[in-house]
Amino acid sequence: MRYQRSSALFREANTVLPGGVNSPVRAFKAVGGTPVFVKEASGAHFTDEDGNRYIDYISSWGPLLFGHAFEPVLQAVIQRAKKGTSYGMPTALETELASLAVSMVPNIDKIRFVNSGTEACMSAIRLARGYTGKHKIIKFAGCYHGHADAFLIQAGSGAVTFGSPNSPGVTPGTAQDTLLARYNDLNNVRELVAANRGEIAGIILEPVAGNMGCIPPASGFLEGIRELCDEEGILLVFDEVMTGFRLAAGGAQQALNIKADITAFGKVIGGGLPVGAFAASADIMSHLAPEGPVYQAGTLSGNPLAMAAGLAMLTEMNRDPEVFERLADKTAYLHKGLEKTLQERGIPHTINRFGSMISLHFTAEAVVDFDSAALGNNPDFNRYFHGMLDRGVYLPPSAFESYFLNDALSYEDLDNTIAAAEELFSNW
Ligand SMILES: *Cc1c(COP(=O)(O)O)cnc(C)c1O
């Protein structure tokens, strides 16, 4: 493939955008090379500025459950835009999308719309702190909750006590209120809680992790955390920005039958427009302004175009509830195909999968947490990424990201993807 025009556009972008992009993973830093610039997309495919066509496995990092330029969402946005694009006043649409979301997701009575997953998680934590009157939170290494200060934390030297900033600009004062735990390690969480008894407002996690590849929760892990939260008066915050309306209509809470106290959404709920949301029981949500004292606001929150897109998306999955099973079947098919060719070539690997999330790690070790996921962040992954890209398959450009399948993918697309992998691995 030729990437001439993408290269030129990237050089030009670098003169006015830091790193040439508006979100770091797009810059291909981890895998090297030039990011492809998208010209247009439809269904499961997109075309870049050089005219190359790809099968898309990131679906805008999750939102596009039915694929690109999905007609019901498209029409909803176009029709709504004709009536004005923003008012800063309430609309009936907000209540409509809220009611639908509340009817689909277990354990929530009320919802607040924001503009991104970052905002959703940031606000969920503020609400947890405001509700409990406690300061500290526990997060898990490798779980991503957006770029708010409280989440840009790595293990400090005394990992069992304090976190430390993992980005300049995050203050040590903020970092000391975020404790870092190992994913799938319940004892580690128990230790942290015991060492900080009475100080923890919330435990936040991805119920199925998708930001260190796909890592499903070990049996008993979430149940154990739920129990611990109940014993200690800690709020359990599920970051369902990735899993919400993707693993099931009711997200991971439905798929895994676990109750969270506060749930954060993003991605699918906006149908491809910038939407986030957080939701909880009426009691917890009553602490939020203007009903309660915990402040949170947004000029474009509940934006009519975004609400119309989200409403079309959620309406469509209610009309076609088999979509989740179809997606899981397609993902299992891809898993089987990749597994077969990797095995035949004797290439060490681990494939993790849950619903329509899947990731291939170039390590034979079980990938269950950040450290084991990091074993697969190696030159083999980069070769694989570029080898597939050159064969017209667009995978996440980082060993720490999950693929997100969309329902526009056909079995022919999946066969073509598996054939590309076969060709690549036969010359490995
Ligand atoms: C994408 C993501 C976020 C951040 O959402 P943005 O819309 O990018 O701010 C938060 N949590 C999880 C689990 C995510 O996957």
Side-chain angles (χ1 to χ4, degrees):
M1 293 226 191
R2 288 160 54 85
Y3 303 109
Q4 221 165 23
R5 183 146 168 77
S6 278
S7 292
L9 285 168
F10 189 48
R11 274 195 303 277
E12 198 183 326
N14 268 285
T15 64
V16 283
L17 300 170
V21 293
N22 280 303
S23 196
V25 72
R26 297 178 197 166
F28 278 23
K29 268 252 190 241
V31 291
T34 292
V36 295
F37 277 58
V38 180
K39 189 168 182 199
E40 58 189 357
S42 167
H45 301 93
F46 73 92
T47 307
D48 72 13
E49 289 279 0
D50 288 281
N52 304 309
R53 191 162 184 266
Y54 304 84
I55 305 172
D56 181 14
Y57 281 96
I58 70 168
S59 308
S60 185
W61 297 105
L64 311 175
L65 197 76
F66 292 95
H68 292 276
F70 181 52
E71 200 57 32
V73 172
L74 214 56
Q75 285 311 321
V77 173
I78 291 167
Q79 294 314 321
R80 191 65 216 185
K82 291 177 183 168
K83 301 175 184 172
T85 56
S86 182
Y87 318 113
M89 291 177 269
T91 62
L93 263 178
E94 293 157 83
T95 308
E96 228 183 307
L97 181 55
S99 304
L100 189 55
V102 165
S103 76
M104 292 166 75
V105 179
N107 312 314
I108 65 171
D109 300 323
K110 290 189 177 179
I111 187 164
R112 166 69 54 88
F113 292 111
V114 293
N115 305 286
S116 68
T118 294
E119 258 190 277
C121 293
M122 177 186 89
S123 309
I125 285 303
R126 183 179 305 142
L127 180 58
R129 287 173 165 154
Y131 181 83
T132 59
K134 296 187 271 184
H135 294 332
K136 291 184 180 172
I137 59 167
I138 293 179
K139 87 170 278 287
F140 292 81
C143 278
Y144 180 68
H145 307 297
H147 64 87
D149 287 4
F151 304 121
L152 296 183
I153 305 298
Q154 61 193 356
S157 45
V160 179
T161 48
F162 297 132
S164 73
N166 75 349
S167 164
V170 176
T171 65
T174 295
Q176 72 177 15
D177 284 331
T178 300
L179 309 170
L180 216 68
R182 263 188 311 276
Y183 200 77
N184 277 332
D185 186 343
L186 185 56
N187 280 333
N188 185 219
V189 185
R190 288 203 181 108
E191 280 166 27
L192 280 175
V193 169
N196 297 272
R197 186 147 277 138
E199 297 183 81
I200 298 170
I203 298 180
I204 183 167
L205 83 168
E206 296 175 67
V208 175
N211 284 290
M212 38 187 167
C214 169
I215 301 186
S219 155
F221 176 59
L222 296 176
E223 291 82 353
I225 292 177
R226 175 70 268 175
E227 220 169 276
L228 191 61
C229 284
D230 289 340
E231 285 164 16
E232 303 282 342
I234 296 169
L235 294 187
L236 178 55
V237 182
F238 270 11
D239 177 353
E240 294 227 43
V241 171
M242 221 172 231
T243 54
F245 307 101
R246 171 165 282 280
L247 297 186
Q253 289 187 77
Q254 179 189 334
L256 300 164
N257 193 27
I258 302 264
K259 177 184 182 293
D261 297 307
I262 305 180
T263 309
F265 300 100
K267 300 193 167 116
V268 179
I269 198 172
L273 267 73
V275 182
F278 58 105
S281 65
D283 169 40
I284 293 175
M285 291 304 271
S286 74
H287 288 247
L288 201 61
E291 202 176 334
V294 178
Y295 194 69
Q296 195 283 324
T299 301
L300 290 173
S301 294
N303 173 269
L305 298 193
M307 295 294 102
L311 191 58
M313 189 66 148
L314 268 49
T315 301
E316 209 55 36
M317 70 180 72
N318 276 325
R319 202 189 53 76
D320 180 13
E322 283 86 40
V323 64
F324 301 103
E325 210 174 303
R326 284 201 305 275
L327 277 168
D329 287 348
K330 288 175 186 180
T331 312
Y333 186 85
L334 179 67
H335 184 163
K336 210 167 132 222
L338 291 175
E339 185 92 65
K340 183 164 173 285
T341 169
L342 285 157
Q343 257 162 14
E344 278 167 7
R345 303 289 163 186
I347 298 169
H349 68 279
T350 294
I351 297 178
N352 283 355
R353 167 171 64 92
F354 197 106
S356 53
M357 295 162 62
I358 180 171
S359 55
L360 164 53
H361 307 259
F362 287 89
T363 169
E365 302 288 321
V367 173
V368 297
D369 58 14
F370 182 74
D371 288 340
S372 46
L375 297 173
N377 184 27
N378 57 36
D380 279 354
F381 177 84
N382 296 352
R383 259 170 82 200
Y384 167 64
F385 170 78
H386 281 290
M388 295 299 275
L389 188 72
D390 281 338
R391 289 167 176 80
V393 179
Y394 193 90
L395 302 174
S398 157
F400 293 105
E401 304 285 357
S402 169
Y403 313 4
F404 298 101
L405 273 66
N406 66 68
D407 192 46
L409 281 163
S410 65
Y411 279 88
E412 191 188 346
D413 292 325
L414 298 172
D415 284 335
N416 288 340
T417 303
I418 294 162
E422 266 165 10
E423 190 187 87
L424 176 64
F425 292 138
S426 69
N427 300 306
W428 200 246

